[in-house]
Amino acid sequence: MKSFLQPKLQLLLILLSLYSCTAKKDIAQKHSADSFNPGSVWNDTEGNPINAHGGGILFHDGIYYWYGEYKKGKTSLPPEATWEAYRTDVAGISCYSSKDLVNWKNEGLVLSAVKDDAAHDLHTSKVLERPKVIFNKKTGKFVMWMHVDSADYSKAAAGVAVSDSPVGKFKYIESFRPNNAMSRDQTVFVDDDAKAYQFYSSEDNKTMYISELTDDYLRPSGKFTRNFENLSREAPAVFKYNKKYYIITSGCSGWDPNIATIATADTIMGLWTVQKKELCEGPDADKTFYAQSTYVIPVQGREGAFIAMFDKWNKTDLESSRYVWLPLRIDKNGATVLWQEKWDMSIFDK
Ligand code: GAL
């Protein structure tokens, strides 16, 4: 009996340990991705859907940081709304970190909503959108610019927060209308000479302002230009390649998609010329693949490789909005974002 059971038991033990090894591996693999799947649920390294909308990327000391609007809970339409101003209560700004741009670790909320002061810019009842973080080499501070607004979007202001670390916590400083002009959809961009600029939809979203920032990146310097006058461009995403500046923008149709355009300039404050060739190509390119621009990521260590980041908004359930990240290529005909069902970094080798 004994001699018969022992080999069987041994086999069982071996099988059990083999099974537990593969099970463990499965868990690890489940949360490690090797490709971009635009428009699909994108899980972080813990297996939870990434929640960072209207976001932007900072590359610092070998790590990418993704900051975005943390949209949690019920989406509702304020009773006084005269248009589709769908919203979730403000929760804060989330941050994720990554070395490969595909696998993202949740770093938590780096700026949190304020619950007990209804007058505060970050109160849950307000609007907090399109955060972007830049690093100031001189001061050693991480500076966040964001769109802060009242629930009816009448405040139209820019908010600024600072931190000593990329993963926060950020300390909220103040909000204002830069250059005494409305500021809604916005981004910030640092040029090679370390000067920084805020790009923002102003004058009731009709005209895009480009505003140079002070050396500490905390305020407008007072130098600004008005661009795309009366063309109602939103959702600015700015990058530089081969000494040329590029800006992707959307039209102005709230959470609903429209066609993105890209413009170029030889100097950052303008003049900007809209590219004649369409930026997006593939199915639903005329609706920007049902998404809206938010940022363009220069892929580190790969000359000329860029990723265009778009938000695929779900206006009646904003928390379930998805991300559409696609490779952006520039050749003699201009910039192109070609739809891909699934892709990885090897696309830039071709
Ligand atoms: C969009 C804008 C979004 C958000 C939305 C509100 O036009 O790009 O960031 O503000 O309107 O409806």
Side-chain angles (χ1 to χ4, degrees), residues 29-104:
Q29 274 173 357
K30 200 150 102 198
H31 308 313
S32 92
D34 53 11
S35 63
F36 298 95
N37 299 272
S40 303
V41 174
W42 191 350
N43 285 340
D44 64 19
T45 51
E46 286 158 20
N48 300 311
I50 295 174
N51 192 332
H53 310 277
I57 304 284
L58 168 77
F59 182 74
H60 187 77
D61 281 350
I63 296 174
Y64 295 95
Y65 297 92
W66 176 358
Y67 302 91
E69 305 158 18
Y70 188 70
K71 294 215 175 294
K72 199 73 193 158
K74 201 170 163 279
T75 296
S76 61
L77 202 53
E80 69 275 21
T82 53
W83 56 288
E84 290 192 322
Y86 287 105
R87 65 184 303 283
T88 55
D89 275 358
V90 170
I93 303 301
S94 53
C95 175
Y96 293 80
S97 63
S98 174
K99 284 196 171 160
D100 61 8
L101 290 166
V102 179
N103 294 286
W104 292 92

Side-chain angles (χ1 to χ4, degrees), residues 103-232:
N103 294 286
W104 292 92
K105 173 175 176 256
N106 186 0
E107 301 284 358
L109 290 182
V110 292
L111 184 70
S112 298
V114 169
K115 292 200 175 106
D116 53 4
D117 176 4
H120 199 284
D121 285 346
L122 303 181
H123 187 253
T124 45
S125 63
K126 305 286 172 76
V127 164
L128 180 60
E129 293 179 341
R130 297 193 178 270
K132 305 286 175 302
V133 173
I134 49 182
F135 177 64
N136 190 305
K137 281 188 187 146
K138 252 192 214 160
T139 62
K141 301 274 184 201
F142 297 84
V143 182
M144 182 188 292
W145 281 69
M146 64 210 101
H147 170 199
V148 297
D149 225 318
S150 40
D152 64 359
Y153 285 83
S154 62
K155 185 180 172 87
V160 180
V162 285
S163 169
D164 293 325
S165 150
V167 292
K169 285 244 170 184
F170 281 77
K171 184 176 170 287
Y172 190 72
I173 308 178
E174 59 175 342
S175 71
F176 45 80
R177 283 189 167 180
N179 306 298
N180 293 320
M182 289 180 169
S183 179
R184 291 204 181 95
D185 278 11
Q186 64 102 46
T187 193
V188 278
F189 174 79
V190 181
D191 208 347
D192 300 329
D193 61 2
K195 275 211 174 306
Y197 301 82
Q198 188 208 5
F199 290 64
Y200 56 101
S201 301
S202 192
E203 301 178 10
D204 271 321
N205 303 341
K206 288 198 181 77
T207 296
M208 176 87 50
Y209 279 40
I210 301 173
S211 163
E212 188 193 76
L213 303 185
T214 49
D215 286 349
D216 57 11
Y217 300 170
L218 299 179
R219 300 278 313 179
S221 77
K223 253 199 215 169
F224 70 95
T225 55
R226 297 170 65 251
N227 305 270
F228 310 116
E229 211 178 318
N230 290 320
L231 291 181
S232 298

Side-chain angles (χ1 to χ4, degrees), residues 7 9 111 123 142 184 190 210 249 267 269 295 331 344 350:
L9 251 175
L111 184 70
H123 187 253
F142 297 84
R184 291 204 181 95
V190 181
I210 301 173
T249 56
T267 50
M269 302 284 261
Y295 200 81
D331 61 20
D344 60 45
K350 290 166 201 155

